[in-house]
Amino acid sequence: MRNGTAITEFILLGFPGVQGLQIPIFTVVFFIYILTLAGNGLIIVIVWAEPKLQIPMYFFLCNLSFLEIWYTTTVIPKLLETFVVARTAICTRCCLLQSFFHFFLGTTEFFILTVMSFDRYLAICKPLRYPTIMTSNLCLQLALSSWVVGFTIVFCQMMLLIQLPFCGNNVINHFYCDVGPILKAACGDTSILELLGLLATLLVIPGSLLFTMISYASILSTILQIPSAPGRQKAFSTCASHLTVVSLFYGAVLFMYLRPTAHSSFKINKVVSVLNTILTPLLNPFIYTIRNKEVKEALRKAMALAKTRHAELNMQHTKIKLMQIQN
């Protein structure tokens, strides 16, 4: 065990190289956060309000949107604080809690995206059997399993982590409580935790990526066998949005984990982390709505209904005023 004073808080450095630009960056990040909440929240509302969208693909999309709302919420508020406070401190327990939710939700996202690729595989490669296979019960089981497995993987490691004393360097060169610097600050033996973390990483990232690649290889093979060009285009359009999101998400993760350590820069890793924690959750609602006619139609329908109700309320308000004047 290393000698030192017990740590009661960690210091988040954020992006110290942006001196003089804190307020503009704060404004941009805050605006992105609001758009992320609004965009993902709107998808959930539209899907649950429109009966035509209450099918497996949009059920999983709602799970992804719900996850993205909380994934960004675990990180962005503290990131915003680093831009306006000279010394961004976070208590040890709070830091561990943020780390837990960040990695729990991040791990669950791998499984949700994998389940979504499996859904697209069944819909395109097994269209006749799809309604009987992808029942509402299976949808619920797949979604629930993604959340439970993601929670269990991270919870087991976190239970070991919170038992360790901390007395090392309490400065975290990141905008959230990354597990690497936390382990370096631990006074006890972290070899078991590091091994579990490595095993979990190897299980989750390559495993889910392999399953997704197999699903899309089968999808591509099936699409190429469709004789008509409009048929191929229609089939591909049903999975193009998900494929775009998967490419962004896995691309950023693989960039961080597969680069040679000797040439890696932690500053670059922080920038890439911004892609997964801030930009991807923002882009998801736009990616899924821009290329999706059903969602756009439901959105237009909802907007038209809102305008109609607003007009009705205005008419009622006008009638009440006229009655008051007459009386």
Side-chain angles (χ1 to χ4, degrees), residues 104-170:
F104 154 50
L105 295 170
T107 302
T108 303
E109 184 163 1
F110 283 105
F111 294 124
I112 292 291
L113 290 174
T114 303
V115 168
M116 293 176 75
S117 67
F118 176 65
D119 172 69
R120 291 300 83 208
Y121 161 76
L122 289 178
I124 295 174
C125 301
K126 312 286 183 182
L128 298 179
R129 298 177 57 193
Y130 178 73
T132 57
I133 296 176
M134 192 58 73
T135 61
S136 56
N137 285 337
L138 181 60
C139 288
L140 185 60
Q141 290 171 6
L142 289 172
L144 188 60
S145 298
S146 299
W147 287 93
V148 170
V149 173
F151 176 86
T152 303
I153 289 174
V154 180
F155 182 77
C156 293
Q157 297 177 66
M158 192 55 61
M159 286 298 98
L160 295 176
L161 183 59
I162 62 175
Q163 297 178 34
L164 293 174
F166 298 97
C167 59
N169 183 12
N170 71 331

Side-chain angles (χ1 to χ4, degrees), residues 242-259:
H242 179 254
L243 184 59
T244 303
V245 171
V246 166
S247 301
L248 285 173
F249 187 73
Y250 279 100
V253 170
L254 293 177
F255 180 84
M256 287 190 293
Y257 283 95
L258 296 185
R259 285 188 310 148

Side-chain angles (χ1 to χ4, degrees), residues 307-318:
K307 289 181 180 179
T308 303
R309 290 182 177 177
H310 182 67
E312 290 175 352
L313 288 173
N314 284 339
M315 289 180 62
Q316 291 178 1
H317 186 64
T318 303

Side-chain angles (χ1 to χ4, degrees), residues 8-299:
T8 58
E9 64 179 20
F10 286 96
I11 307 298
L12 298 176
L13 291 184
F15 294 93
V18 296
Q19 296 296 329
L21 298 173
Q22 291 94 332
I23 299 303
I25 295 177
F26 174 92
T27 304
V28 171
V29 174
F30 180 75
F31 183 67
I32 288 175
Y33 180 50
I34 297 301
L35 278 180
T36 301
L37 297 183
N40 285 285
L42 185 62
I43 284 181
I44 296 173
V45 171
I46 289 175
V47 170
W48 285 106
E50 178 56 54
K52 291 182 180 179
L53 298 182
Q54 293 176 10
I55 57 177
M57 180 173 70
Y58 296 111
F59 171 72
F60 296 129
L61 178 58
C62 282
N63 274 266
L64 181 63
S65 294
F66 180 78
L67 183 148
E68 297 287 30
I69 288 173
W70 291 107
Y71 187 54
T72 55
T73 301
T74 61
V75 173
I76 292 185
K78 207 64 184 177
L79 170 61
L80 291 173
E81 186 181 337
T82 64
F83 294 125
V84 295
V85 178
R87 182 178 180 272
T88 305
I90 180 171
C91 70
T92 304
R93 294 294 179 183
C94 298
C95 190
L96 293 174
L97 189 63
Q98 186 197 49
S99 181
F100 166 74
F101 276 104
H102 176 75
F103 287 101
F104 154 50
L105 295 170
T107 302
T108 303
E109 184 163 1
F110 283 105
F111 294 124
I112 292 291
L113 290 174
T114 303
V115 168
M116 293 176 75
S117 67
F118 176 65
D119 172 69
R120 291 300 83 208
Y121 161 76
L122 289 178
I124 295 174
C125 301
K126 312 286 183 182
L128 298 179
R129 298 177 57 193
Y130 178 73
T132 57
I133 296 176
M134 192 58 73
T135 61
S136 56
N137 285 337
L138 181 60
C139 288
L140 185 60
Q141 290 171 6
L142 289 172
L144 188 60
S145 298
S146 299
W147 287 93
V148 170
V149 173
F151 176 86
T152 303
I153 289 174
V154 180
F155 182 77
C156 293
Q157 297 177 66
M158 192 55 61
M159 286 298 98
L160 295 176
L161 183 59
I162 62 175
Q163 297 178 34
L164 293 174
F166 298 97
C167 59
N169 183 12
N170 71 331
V171 177
I172 297 178
N173 185 18
H174 218 311
F175 57 88
Y176 68 89
C177 291
D178 194 11
V179 70
I182 294 177
L183 287 176
K184 288 181 180 179
C187 300
D189 182 15
T190 61
S191 57
I192 295 178
L193 265 170
E194 291 173 3
L195 177 61
L196 289 176
L198 176 61
L199 292 176
T201 301
L202 293 176
L203 170 67
V204 174
I205 299 178
S208 61
L209 179 59
L210 178 62
F211 191 95
T212 300
M213 290 176 64
I214 292 173
S215 297
Y216 272 102
S218 301
I219 289 171
L220 182 61
S221 175
T222 301
I223 290 176
L224 292 176
Q225 293 175 18
I226 298 175
S228 65
R232 290 194 297 269
Q233 185 177 2
K234 183 179 179 181
F236 183 75
S237 65
T238 62
C239 60
S241 299
H242 179 254
L243 184 59
T244 303
V245 171
V246 166
S247 301
L248 285 173
F249 187 73
Y250 279 100
V253 170
L254 293 177
F255 180 84
M256 287 190 293
Y257 283 95
L258 296 185
R259 285 188 310 148
T261 306
H263 298 91
S264 65
S265 168
F266 198 77
K267 290 182 179 179
I268 297 178
N269 281 350
K270 281 201 289 185
V271 173
V272 176
S273 295
V274 170
L275 178 64
N276 268 358
T277 57
I278 299 177
L279 294 182
T280 302
L282 168 68
L283 294 175
N284 283 354
F286 296 99
I287 292 172
Y288 280 106
T289 54
I290 288 174
R291 298 185 60 88
N292 196 304
K293 294 181 180 179
E294 293 174 327
V295 175
K296 287 192 288 187
E297 182 182 347
L299 183 58

